[in-house]
Amino acid sequence: MKKVFKRILFLQLPRLENSNSDEEENIPLAGFYLADSLKHADMGYDYAFRFLNPDEESLDDAHILDLIAAWEPDAVCATLYLWNVERSLSILKRLKIRCPDTGIICGGPETAADHPFLFKEPIADAVVVGEGERLLPGMLSCLQKGERPDYRQVAWK
């Protein structure tokens, strides 16, 4: 029986703020675009999408991990930037140990074939270089079926 990925968490950790003001901004535009691509893909699923809210984003890593694990997502789509790549990978590594059936897809500006540490540990099930909106529906379908198609800009575990 194939696993159906219906509960999708879009994870974009904010940059660390050094100011004491409440003016922090972390708008997960990539996640919104990816969620929209899934809404418009005719895959026959009713997806449940989840984004961290600002209060959740300010939690420490252990509490973010607890929050993610408690929601029990089928897949986590993480957007990696210079300011969050190490922290995101650290949390995702611990999530994969805790919830090994959770699919992990990484994308964003920090995903590159020659990245200095992104591929050193097999954390992500798939890594997308470039725009992922058109690819995500097919990628989730492949992960569900245990397949690895030949997408030019996707590295599979």
Side-chain angles (χ1 to χ4, degrees):
M1 184 171 141
K2 74 176 185 175
K3 178 176 175 53
V4 176
F5 286 34
K6 293 174 73 172
R7 295 167 59 86
I8 312 294
L9 171 74
F10 294 99
L11 181 67
Q12 178 180 304
L13 295 175
R15 70 179 192 274
L16 297 175
E17 292 287 345
N18 293 324
S19 82
N20 293 329
S21 73
D22 288 337
E23 294 182 28
E24 298 175 15
E25 185 175 85
N26 183 37
I27 301 171
L29 287 178
F32 293 142
Y33 293 138
L34 291 167
D36 191 60
S37 75
L38 289 174
K39 287 178 191 173
H40 290 92
D42 186 20
M43 296 179 65
Y45 306 132
D46 289 325
Y47 289 104
F49 300 121
R50 173 92 157 78
F51 294 83
L52 298 183
N53 66 45
D55 290 336
E56 294 167 337
E57 290 176 346
S58 66
L59 296 171
D60 61 54
D61 293 0
H63 285 97
I64 287 177
L65 178 60
D66 288 343
L67 182 76
I68 294 170
W71 193 61
E72 299 177 337
D74 297 311
V76 175
C77 297
T79 304
L80 304 179
Y81 291 98
L82 180 62
W83 62 82
N84 73 8
V85 62
E86 291 180 81
R87 184 177 182 212
S88 297
L89 291 175
S90 173
I91 290 171
L92 293 171
K93 178 180 178 180
R94 289 183 277 161
L95 178 67
K96 199 63 166 175
I97 292 167
R98 191 163 165 181
C99 307
D101 292 334
T102 300
I104 296 177
I105 299 173
C106 293
E110 281 301 300
T111 58
D114 61 348
H115 194 277
F117 58 84
L118 178 61
F119 297 102
K120 288 201 186 226
E121 295 188 58
I123 296 168
D125 295 294
V127 176
V128 180
V129 176
E131 300 299 319
E133 290 83 359
R134 288 185 18 184
L135 300 176
L136 184 60
M139 291 174 64
L140 286 176
S141 177
C142 290
L143 284 174
Q144 291 168 167
K145 297 173 188 171
E147 297 175 354
R148 293 174 41 172
D150 188 16
Y151 288 143
R152 190 180 66 138
Q153 66 258 42
V154 177
W156 297 92
K157 186 195 268 181

